[in-house]
Amino acid sequence: MTKNSVKNFIVPFAVCLLLAVALYPDSTLNPETYSTEGLELNYNISADLAMVDNNHSLNHNFFSPQLGKSFEGFKEAIAFKESQGDYFTVNTLGYLGKYQFGKETLKLLGVYTPNQFLYNPELQEKAFIANIERNKWVLRKDIKRFEGKHIAGIKVTESGILAAAHLAGPGSVKKFLRSYGGNNISDDYGSTVRGYMKKFSGYDTSMIAPDKKARVTM
């Protein structure tokens, strides 16, 4: 009997033996009467018997979508920073949802029912887009003037500007840029305009069109 034949025989034999013992514990079957003496047992189970794909390690590499520097990546990165992506959260200052909107900002976007907003993920996503569009219109001249420059030790990018505007409003971003970093406003939790500009730099926000009258529509 060849070595491969032994491999193909011994594993099924052992499985059948164990099943027989389990199913018929009171039968005359006596495992002690069986012997593997003389068989070559010093081997490793082949990949086909172990059902292991040689192209993959046993430490599975789980699939994880990589959003990178896309607009979706930008949007989800802000959401994680603001609320860890929780649509239904309200912070200690009353800011709402996945992107932590204040009630006054929502009014500018045409949303007057905060409770409805909080429990409507679709509305929250539309509000985020509308707010980015509005801020891009307000900051369009500053984006053109400062994008690519280095201010307060960071490279200014459009996505960084829009992220900072989401945090502190477009007026605060104008003050930061036009003072060349001297006026660096922070929120009540310590996040700053500069910090957001740095953290969210380099994302692709080119598909967002500036819109002075951006509103949420359902």
Side-chain angles (χ1 to χ4, degrees):
M1 185 178 288
T2 65
K3 183 175 179 179
N4 286 335
S5 298
V6 172
K7 293 179 183 180
N8 294 330
F9 167 76
I10 193 64
V11 173
F13 173 78
V15 172
C16 291
L17 180 62
L18 291 173
L19 286 173
V21 172
L23 293 173
Y24 304 103
D26 297 326
S27 71
T28 58
L29 181 63
N30 183 0
E32 294 180 358
T33 64
Y34 295 87
S35 173
T36 57
E37 184 178 355
L39 298 178
E40 186 180 355
L41 301 178
N42 185 22
Y43 64 89
N44 294 320
I45 296 176
S46 61
D48 57 333
L49 290 176
M51 297 197 309
V52 175
D53 185 348
N54 287 328
N55 294 322
H56 297 82
S57 68
L58 292 176
N59 294 323
H60 300 291
N61 295 317
F62 294 103
F63 171 74
S64 176
Q66 300 297 318
L67 298 177
K69 290 293 186 176
S70 67
F71 180 72
E72 284 298 318
F74 172 74
K75 185 165 66 72
E76 294 306 317
I78 289 181
F80 188 81
K81 178 67 172 67
E82 294 289 337
S83 70
Q84 294 191 333
D86 186 351
Y87 284 110
F88 310 112
T89 190
V90 181
N91 75 5
T92 57
L93 299 175
Y95 287 82
L96 305 163
K98 181 178 178 180
Y99 303 102
Q100 293 291 278
F101 275 98
K103 295 177 182 178
E104 295 304 313
T105 299
L106 289 177
K107 289 179 182 178
L108 290 175
L109 302 174
V111 179
Y112 301 99
T113 53
N115 287 337
Q116 179 188 3
F117 175 82
L118 182 63
Y119 294 104
N120 191 329
E122 181 183 357
L123 188 60
Q124 292 188 33
E125 294 295 338
K126 288 185 175 183
F128 180 82
I129 299 298
N131 192 50
I132 291 290
E133 291 173 340
R134 178 180 174 276
N135 287 340
K136 191 168 181 176
W137 185 86
V138 175
L139 291 162
R140 65 197 185 283
K141 294 180 181 178
D142 296 274
I143 291 170
K144 184 176 181 179
R145 176 182 174 187
F146 292 104
E147 187 175 19
K149 294 184 178 181
H150 286 79
I151 293 178
I154 62 170
K155 184 178 180 180
V156 177
T157 65
E158 180 179 283
S159 63
I161 288 174
L162 296 177
H166 182 83
L167 170 75
S172 297
V173 175
K174 285 186 177 185
K175 291 177 181 178
F176 175 85
L177 293 171
R178 295 176 187 184
S179 68
Y180 287 86
N183 194 332
N184 184 26
I185 294 172
S186 65
D187 69 4
D188 290 328
Y189 297 105
S191 295
T192 65
V193 168
R194 180 188 181 278
Y196 263 52
M197 277 198 179
K198 180 179 180 180
K199 185 176 183 65
F200 299 105
S201 68
Y203 287 88
D204 182 6
T205 55
S206 61
M207 72 290 299
I208 296 297
D211 186 354
K212 179 181 180 180
K213 298 180 179 180
R215 297 290 186 277
V216 177
T217 56
M218 292 297 292

